[in-house]
Amino acid sequence: MYFKQFYLNCLAHASYLIGSDGEAVVVDPQRDVDQYIDEAAAHNLAIKYVIETHLHADFVSGHRELAARTGAEIVFGQKAGAMIPHRAVTDGDELTIGRVKLRIMETPGHTPEGICVLVTDTEVSGQPQKVLTGDTLFIGDVGRPDLAGAKGFTKEMMAAMMYDSLHEKLLRLNDAMEVYPAHGAGSMCGRKLSTETSSTIGQQRKFNYALQPMAKDDFVRLMTIDLPEAPAYFSQDAEINRAGAPALNGLPRPAALSPAEVRNLAAERRFGFRGRPCPGRTQYRPRRAVRVMGGFSDSDDVADCDRR
């Protein structure tokens, strides 16, 4: 089995390419998909599936473009309500790439549609060796439960679902199981994420504060107090991902602004520039977003960057 994690520091985002016997799957892809296509080609792999563990709110995903360019099938949890052609999977469903089996676990809590993916390299054993946990289980934390309010779920309801997903599914995995989440330190999808980008169930069972023994009611209280405000653009990104963003090379090029126009807009606080751009990236990703001339720009503080 070929396994590679792609980590984008400015978004604290991890995505994955898994390959076997000429076939591959990409899990939680970034907006820019060239790297997956190039990596797969370098290892003589054809991308068969693109799996989204949930509707990401903190960035726009490249699943639609990646599928269009490779012929891969997009996979979402059945509760995602994705508006593009896709395979809707449920608990216990299996996908196969070469000699690798991918088994789906439905793990609501961060979002109603969240899934985790158990990875079994059958050349090693018949038991799973890795689990891709999306935004359900992070290293040092779990996904925040307050992003589904618009879908009719309170943060308390989602936290209760998270407790069940953790205790009835993930914590029943063996301690040696390798854990690979979709985010690390710096992400707004949790509160106490580690700088480590992988771990094991055993290590998380010992050191993750959210996995320590406690009653369900205590867990719900712990998960729903002192939550930072969710950036306003989160709900917009989730809906973009539900429909799938158009290919980057098909987007219209923004009209250039004159220096005077930039000064005037900045004076009106309609946008501002603070922080450093990520190498090779073309746009900042703000903590809070405002619409300016049909696009996104930053407000008072710029956290990261993303090519949209």
Side-chain angles (χ1 to χ4, degrees):
M1 177 177 73
Y2 178 75
F3 183 91
K4 180 172 181 177
Q5 181 187 72
F6 297 79
Y7 198 81
L8 183 59
N9 284 305
C10 61
L11 287 178
H13 167 237
S15 54
Y16 301 89
L17 175 70
I18 306 170
S20 173
D21 285 355
E23 296 181 330
V25 59
V26 176
V27 181
D28 290 331
Q30 299 172 20
R31 182 70 166 101
D32 306 306
V33 301
D34 287 351
Q35 60 194 325
Y36 309 112
I37 295 171
D38 293 345
E39 188 74 14
H43 294 273
N44 298 311
L45 299 168
I47 299 174
K48 184 178 180 181
Y49 299 112
V50 180
I51 299 177
E52 291 283 11
T53 57
H54 62 293
L55 294 167
H56 295 281
D58 58 320
F59 70 97
V60 174
S61 168
H63 58 271
R64 177 177 164 189
E65 179 177 353
L66 185 56
R69 291 175 59 181
T70 63
E73 184 176 21
I74 297 171
V75 178
F76 272 103
Q78 64 169 345
K79 296 176 183 175
M83 298 168 62
I84 52 177
H86 69 285
R87 178 184 295 204
V89 292
T90 187
D91 215 52
D93 284 355
E94 282 196 358
L95 307 172
T96 301
I97 52 163
R99 299 184 214 185
V100 171
K101 292 183 179 179
L102 308 167
R103 182 155 57 89
I104 304 300
M105 292 194 299
E106 289 186 284
T107 53
H110 177 62
T111 62
E113 77 281 354
I115 60 174
C116 293
V117 183
L118 286 164
V119 181
T120 303
D121 181 356
T122 60
E123 290 188 284
V124 174
S125 77
Q127 298 301 312
Q129 300 97 28
K130 307 178 192 294
V131 59
L132 307 184
T133 54
D135 281 15
T136 300
L137 175 61
F138 298 126
I139 311 307
D141 204 353
V142 296
R144 60 189 293 172
D146 62 323
L147 301 182
K151 304 298 181 292
F153 297 94
T154 67
K155 60 185 179 181
E156 290 79 13
M157 293 166 65
M158 295 305 298
M161 292 183 201
M162 176 66 80
Y163 184 90
D164 292 340
S165 293
L166 295 170
H167 290 268
E168 295 178 9
K169 293 182 178 177
L170 288 171
L171 286 174
R172 294 187 179 183
L173 300 174
N174 68 70
D175 281 353
M177 182 76 65
E178 299 171 24
V179 175
Y180 293 91
H183 286 294
S187 170
M188 289 289 288
C189 295
R191 295 180 293 187
K192 299 181 180 180
L193 285 73
S194 170
T195 56
E196 299 295 322
T197 59
S198 66
S199 183
T200 64
I201 289 292
Q203 288 293 303
Q204 292 308 294
R205 198 190 307 274
K206 289 180 181 178
F207 301 115
N208 189 321
Y209 78 99
L211 302 186
Q212 300 313 299
M214 68 185 81
K216 188 173 186 176
D217 287 347
D218 293 335
F219 177 86
V220 170
R221 280 192 292 272
L222 179 64
M223 291 297 106
T224 54
I225 61 171
D226 299 326
L227 288 167
E229 180 182 359
Y233 68 91
F234 267 27
S235 59
Q236 298 173 51
D237 277 2
E239 291 309 309
I240 292 172
N241 288 329
R242 191 188 307 277
L248 281 173
N249 61 12
L251 296 177
R253 189 173 184 84
L257 296 175
S258 69
E261 289 173 312
V262 172
R263 284 193 296 271
N264 289 339
L265 289 170
E268 295 170 11
R269 297 184 65 81
R270 293 176 66 184
F271 69 76
F273 299 98
R274 297 172 63 185
R276 295 193 306 270
C278 298
R281 301 284 152 175
T282 59
Q283 181 173 315
Y284 290 110
R285 181 181 74 89
R287 287 190 189 278
R288 299 192 302 278
V290 293
R291 287 196 177 275
V292 176
M293 301 181 72
F296 287 97
S297 72
D298 62 328
S299 55
D300 291 333
D301 55 341
V302 174
D304 302 308
C305 60
D306 184 21
R307 178 179 290 167
R308 292 182 182 276

Coordinates of all heavy atoms in Angstrom, one line a residue, residues 134-193:
G134 N -11.2 12.4 9.7 CA -11.8 13.7 9.3 C -11.8 14.7 10.4 O -10.7 15.0 11.0
D135 N -12.9 15.3 10.7 CA -13.0 16.3 11.8 C -13.7 15.7 13.0 O -14.2 16.5 13.9 CB -13.7 17.6 11.3 CG -12.8 18.5 10.5 OD1 -11.7 18.0 10.1 OD2 -13.2 19.7 10.3
T136 N -13.8 14.4 13.1 CA -14.4 13.8 14.3 C -13.4 13.7 15.4 O -13.6 14.3 16.5 CB -14.9 12.4 14.0 OG1 -15.9 12.5 12.9 CG2 -15.5 11.7 15.2
L137 N -12.2 13.1 15.2 CA -11.2 13.0 16.2 C -9.9 13.6 15.6 O -9.4 13.2 14.6 CB -10.9 11.5 16.5 CG -9.7 11.2 17.4 CD1 -9.9 11.8 18.8 CD2 -9.5 9.7 17.5
F138 N -9.4 14.6 16.4 CA -8.2 15.3 16.1 C -7.1 14.7 17.0 O -7.4 13.9 17.9 CB -8.3 16.8 16.3 CG -9.3 17.5 15.4 CD1 -10.2 18.3 15.9 CD2 -9.2 17.3 14.0 CE1 -11.2 18.9 15.1 CE2 -10.1 18.0 13.2 CZ -11.1 18.8 13.7
I139 N -5.9 15.1 16.8 CA -4.8 14.8 17.7 C -4.9 15.8 18.9 O -4.7 17.0 18.7 CB -3.4 14.8 17.1 CG1 -3.4 14.0 15.7 CG2 -2.4 14.3 18.0 CD1 -4.0 12.6 15.9
G140 N -5.3 15.3 20.0 CA -5.5 16.2 21.2 C -6.8 16.8 21.4 O -7.1 17.6 22.3
D141 N -7.8 16.6 20.5 CA -9.1 17.2 20.6 C -10.1 16.5 19.7 O -9.8 15.4 19.1 CB -9.0 18.7 20.0 CG -10.0 19.6 20.5 OD1 -10.9 19.1 21.2 OD2 -9.9 20.8 20.3
V142 N -11.3 17.0 19.7 CA -12.4 16.4 18.8 C -13.0 17.6 18.1 O -12.8 18.8 18.5 CB -13.4 15.6 19.6 CG1 -12.8 14.4 20.2 CG2 -14.1 16.5 20.7
G143 N -13.8 17.4 17.1 CA -14.4 18.4 16.4 C -15.4 19.2 17.1 O -16.2 18.7 17.9
R144 N -15.5 20.5 16.9 CA -16.4 21.4 17.6 C -17.8 21.1 17.2 O -18.1 20.7 16.0 CB -16.1 22.9 17.4 CG -16.1 23.3 16.0 CD -15.6 24.7 15.8 NE -16.5 25.7 16.4 CZ -16.1 27.0 16.5 NH1 -15.0 27.4 16.0 NH2 -17.0 27.9 17.1
P145 N -18.8 21.2 18.1 CA -20.2 20.7 17.8 C -21.2 21.8 17.4 O -22.4 21.5 17.3 CB -20.6 20.0 19.1 CG -20.0 20.9 20.1 CD -18.7 21.4 19.5
D146 N -20.7 23.0 17.1 CA -21.6 24.1 17.0 C -21.8 24.6 15.6 O -22.3 25.8 15.4 CB -21.2 25.2 17.9 CG -19.8 25.8 17.5 OD1 -18.9 24.9 17.1 OD2 -19.6 27.0 17.6
L147 N -21.5 23.8 14.6 CA -21.5 24.4 13.2 C -22.7 23.9 12.4 O -22.9 24.2 11.3 CB -20.3 24.0 12.5 CG -18.9 24.4 13.1 CD1 -17.8 24.0 12.2 CD2 -18.9 25.9 13.3
A148 N -23.7 23.2 13.1 CA -24.8 22.6 12.3 C -26.1 23.3 12.8 O -27.2 22.8 12.5 CB -24.9 21.1 12.6
G149 N -26.0 24.5 13.4 CA -27.3 25.2 13.8 C -28.2 25.4 12.7 O -29.5 25.3 12.9
A150 N -27.7 25.8 11.6 CA -28.6 26.1 10.4 C -29.4 24.8 9.9 O -30.3 25.0 9.2 CB -27.8 26.7 9.3
K151 N -28.9 23.7 10.3 CA -29.5 22.4 9.9 C -30.5 21.9 10.9 O -30.9 20.8 10.8 CB -28.4 21.4 9.5 CG -27.4 21.8 8.5 CD -28.1 22.1 7.2 CE -27.1 22.6 6.1 NZ -26.5 23.9 6.4
G152 N -30.7 22.7 12.0 CA -31.7 22.3 12.9 C -31.1 21.5 14.1 O -31.9 21.0 14.9
F153 N -29.8 21.5 14.3 CA -29.2 20.8 15.4 C -28.6 21.8 16.3 O -27.8 22.7 15.9 CB -28.1 19.8 14.9 CG -28.6 18.7 14.0 CD1 -28.6 18.9 12.6 CD2 -29.1 17.5 14.5 CE1 -29.0 17.9 11.8 CE2 -29.5 16.5 13.7 CZ -29.5 16.7 12.3
T154 N -28.9 21.6 17.6 CA -28.2 22.5 18.6 C -26.8 21.9 18.9 O -26.5 20.8 18.6 CB -29.0 22.5 19.9 OG1 -28.9 21.2 20.5 CG2 -30.4 22.9 19.7
K155 N -25.9 22.8 19.5 CA -24.6 22.3 19.8 C -24.7 21.2 20.8 O -23.8 20.2 20.8 CB -23.7 23.4 20.3 CG -24.2 24.1 21.5 CD -23.4 25.4 21.9 CE -23.9 26.1 23.1 NZ -23.1 27.3 23.4
E156 N -25.7 21.2 21.7 CA -25.8 20.1 22.7 C -26.2 18.8 22.0 O -25.7 17.7 22.4 CB -26.9 20.5 23.7 CG -26.4 21.6 24.7 CD -26.5 23.0 24.1 OE1 -27.2 23.1 23.0 OE2 -26.0 23.9 24.7
M157 N -27.1 18.9 21.0 CA -27.4 17.7 20.2 C -26.2 17.1 19.5 O -26.0 15.8 19.5 CB -28.5 18.0 19.2 CG -29.9 18.3 19.9 SD -31.0 19.1 18.7 CE -31.3 17.8 17.5
M158 N -25.4 17.9 18.9 CA -24.3 17.5 18.2 C -23.2 16.9 19.1 O -22.5 15.9 18.8 CB -23.7 18.6 17.3 CG -24.6 19.1 16.2 SD -25.2 17.8 15.1 CE -23.6 17.2 14.4
A159 N -23.0 17.5 20.3 CA -22.0 17.0 21.2 C -22.4 15.6 21.7 O -21.6 14.8 21.9 CB -21.9 18.0 22.4
A160 N -23.7 15.4 21.9 CA -24.2 14.1 22.3 C -23.9 13.1 21.3 O -23.5 11.9 21.6 CB -25.7 14.2 22.7
M161 N -24.1 13.4 20.0 CA -23.8 12.5 18.9 C -22.3 12.3 18.9 O -21.9 11.1 18.6 CB -24.2 13.2 17.5 CG -25.7 13.3 17.3 SD -26.0 14.0 15.7 CE -27.6 14.6 15.8
M162 N -21.5 13.3 19.1 CA -20.0 13.1 19.1 C -19.6 12.1 20.2 O -18.8 11.2 20.0 CB -19.3 14.4 19.4 CG -17.8 14.4 19.5 SD -17.0 13.8 18.0 CE -17.0 15.4 17.1
Y163 N -20.2 12.2 21.4 CA -19.9 11.3 22.5 C -20.2 9.8 22.0 O -19.3 8.9 22.2 CB -20.8 11.6 23.7 CG -20.5 10.7 24.9 CD1 -19.5 11.1 25.8 CD2 -21.2 9.6 25.1 CE1 -19.2 10.4 27.0 CE2 -20.9 8.8 26.2 CZ -19.9 9.2 27.1 OH -19.7 8.4 28.2
D164 N -21.3 9.6 21.4 CA -21.7 8.3 20.9 C -20.7 7.8 19.8 O -20.3 6.6 19.8 CB -23.1 8.2 20.4 CG -24.1 8.4 21.5 OD1 -23.8 8.2 22.7 OD2 -25.3 8.8 21.2
S165 N -20.3 8.7 18.9 CA -19.4 8.3 17.8 C -18.0 7.9 18.4 O -17.4 6.9 18.0 CB -19.2 9.5 16.9 OG -20.4 9.7 16.1
L166 N -17.6 8.6 19.4 CA -16.3 8.3 20.0 C -16.3 7.0 20.8 O -15.5 6.2 20.7 CB -15.9 9.5 20.9 CG -15.6 10.8 20.3 CD1 -15.4 11.9 21.3 CD2 -14.4 10.7 19.4
H167 N -17.3 6.9 21.7 CA -17.3 5.8 22.6 C -17.9 4.5 22.1 O -17.5 3.4 22.5 CB -18.1 6.2 23.9 CG -17.4 7.2 24.7 ND1 -16.5 6.9 25.7 CD2 -17.3 8.6 24.6 CE1 -16.0 8.0 26.3 NE2 -16.5 9.0 25.6
E168 N -18.8 4.6 21.1 CA -19.3 3.4 20.5 C -18.6 2.9 19.3 O -18.8 1.8 18.8 CB -20.8 3.7 20.1 CG -21.7 3.9 21.4 CD -23.1 4.2 21.0 OE1 -23.5 4.0 19.8 OE2 -23.9 4.6 21.9
K169 N -17.7 3.8 18.7 CA -17.0 3.4 17.5 C -15.5 3.6 17.6 O -14.7 2.6 17.7 CB -17.6 4.2 16.3 CG -19.0 3.7 16.0 CD -19.6 4.4 14.8 CE -21.0 3.9 14.6 NZ -21.7 4.6 13.4
L170 N -15.0 4.8 17.7 CA -13.6 5.0 17.6 C -12.8 4.5 18.8 O -11.8 3.9 18.6 CB -13.3 6.5 17.5 CG -13.6 7.1 16.1 CD1 -13.5 8.6 16.1 CD2 -12.8 6.5 15.0
L171 N -13.4 4.6 20.0 CA -12.6 4.1 21.2 C -12.7 2.6 21.3 O -12.1 2.0 22.2 CB -13.1 4.8 22.4 CG -12.7 6.3 22.6 CD1 -13.3 6.9 23.8 CD2 -11.1 6.3 22.7
R172 N -13.5 2.0 20.5 CA -13.5 0.5 20.5 C -12.5 -0.1 19.5 O -12.3 -1.3 19.5 CB -14.9 0.0 20.1 CG -16.0 0.3 21.1 CD -17.3 -0.3 20.8 NE -18.3 0.0 21.8 CZ -19.5 -0.4 21.8 NH1 -20.0 -1.2 20.9 NH2 -20.4 -0.1 22.8
L173 N -11.8 0.8 18.8 CA -10.7 0.3 18.0 C -9.5 0.0 18.8 O -9.3 0.5 20.0 CB -10.3 1.4 16.9 CG -11.4 1.8 16.0 CD1 -11.0 3.0 15.1 CD2 -11.9 0.6 15.1
N174 N -8.6 -0.9 18.3 CA -7.4 -1.3 19.1 C -6.4 -0.1 19.3 O -6.3 0.8 18.5 CB -6.7 -2.5 18.6 CG -6.0 -2.2 17.2 OD1 -5.0 -1.6 17.2 ND2 -6.6 -2.8 16.2
D175 N -5.6 -0.2 20.4 CA -4.7 0.9 20.7 C -3.7 1.2 19.6 O -3.1 2.3 19.5 CB -4.1 0.6 22.0 CG -5.0 0.9 23.2 OD1 -6.1 1.5 23.0 OD2 -4.6 0.6 24.4
A176 N -3.3 0.2 18.9 CA -2.3 0.3 17.9 C -2.8 1.0 16.6 O -2.0 1.4 15.7 CB -1.6 -1.0 17.5
M177 N -4.1 1.2 16.5 CA -4.7 1.8 15.3 C -4.1 3.2 15.0 O -4.1 4.1 15.9 CB -6.2 1.9 15.4 CG -6.9 2.5 14.2 SD -7.0 1.3 12.8 CE -8.1 0.0 13.6
E178 N -3.5 3.5 13.9 CA -3.0 4.8 13.5 C -4.1 5.7 13.2 O -5.1 5.4 12.5 CB -2.0 4.6 12.4 CG -0.8 3.7 12.6 CD 0.0 3.5 11.4 OE1 -0.1 4.3 10.4 OE2 0.7 2.4 11.4
V179 N -4.0 6.9 13.7 CA -5.0 8.0 13.6 C -4.5 9.1 12.7 O -3.5 9.7 12.9 CB -5.5 8.5 14.9 CG1 -6.5 9.7 14.7 CG2 -6.1 7.4 15.8
Y180 N -5.3 9.4 11.6 CA -4.9 10.5 10.7 C -6.1 11.4 10.5 O -7.1 11.1 9.8 CB -4.5 9.9 9.3 CG -3.2 9.1 9.4 CD1 -3.2 7.7 9.6 CD2 -2.0 9.7 9.3 CE1 -2.1 7.0 9.7 CE2 -0.8 9.0 9.3 CZ -0.8 7.6 9.6 OH 0.3 6.9 9.7
P181 N -6.1 12.6 11.1 CA -7.2 13.5 11.0 C -7.1 14.5 9.8 O -6.1 14.4 9.1 CB -7.0 14.3 12.3 CG -5.6 14.4 12.5 CD -5.0 13.1 12.0
A182 N -8.1 15.3 9.7 CA -8.1 16.3 8.6 C -7.6 17.6 9.0 O -7.4 18.5 8.1 CB -9.6 16.4 8.1
H183 N -7.3 17.9 10.3 CA -6.8 19.2 10.7 C -5.8 19.0 11.8 O -5.8 18.0 12.6 CB -7.9 20.1 11.1 CG -8.7 20.6 9.9 ND1 -8.1 21.5 9.0 CD2 -10.0 20.5 9.6 CE1 -9.1 21.8 8.1 NE2 -10.2 21.2 8.4
G184 N -5.0 20.0 12.0 CA -4.0 20.1 13.1 C -4.1 21.5 13.8 O -5.1 22.2 13.5
A185 N -3.1 21.8 14.6 CA -3.1 23.0 15.4 C -3.3 24.2 14.5 O -2.6 24.3 13.4 CB -1.8 23.1 16.1
G186 N -4.1 25.2 14.9 CA -4.4 26.4 14.1 C -5.7 26.3 13.4 O -6.3 27.4 13.1
S187 N -6.3 25.2 13.3 CA -7.7 25.1 12.7 C -8.7 25.6 13.7 O -8.7 25.3 14.9 CB -8.0 23.6 12.3 OG -9.3 23.5 11.9
M188 N -9.8 26.2 13.1 CA -10.9 26.7 13.9 C -11.9 25.6 14.1 O -13.0 25.8 14.7 CB -11.5 27.9 13.2 CG -10.7 29.2 13.3 SD -10.7 29.8 15.0 CE -12.3 30.5 15.1
C189 N -11.7 24.4 13.6 CA -12.6 23.3 13.7 C -12.5 22.6 15.1 O -13.3 21.7 15.4 CB -12.4 22.3 12.6 SG -12.8 22.9 11.0
G190 N -11.6 23.0 15.9 CA -11.4 22.5 17.3 C -10.8 23.5 18.1 O -10.6 24.7 17.7
R191 N -10.4 23.2 19.4 CA -9.9 24.2 20.3 C -8.5 23.9 20.8 O -7.7 24.8 21.1 CB -10.8 24.3 21.6 CG -12.2 24.8 21.2 CD -13.1 24.9 22.5 NE -13.4 23.6 23.0 CZ -14.3 23.4 24.0 NH1 -14.9 24.4 24.6 NH2 -14.5 22.2 24.4
K192 N -8.1 22.6 20.9 CA -6.9 22.3 21.5 C -6.1 21.3 20.6 O -5.5 20.3 21.1 CB -7.1 21.7 22.9 CG -7.8 22.6 23.9 CD -7.9 22.0 25.3 CE -8.6 22.9 26.2 NZ -8.8 22.3 27.6
L193 N -6.1 21.5 19.4 CA -5.5 20.6 18.4 C -4.0 20.6 18.6 O -3.3 21.7 18.8 CB -5.8 20.9 17.0 CG -7.2 20.6 16.5 CD1 -8.3 21.5 17.1 CD2 -7.3 20.6 15.0

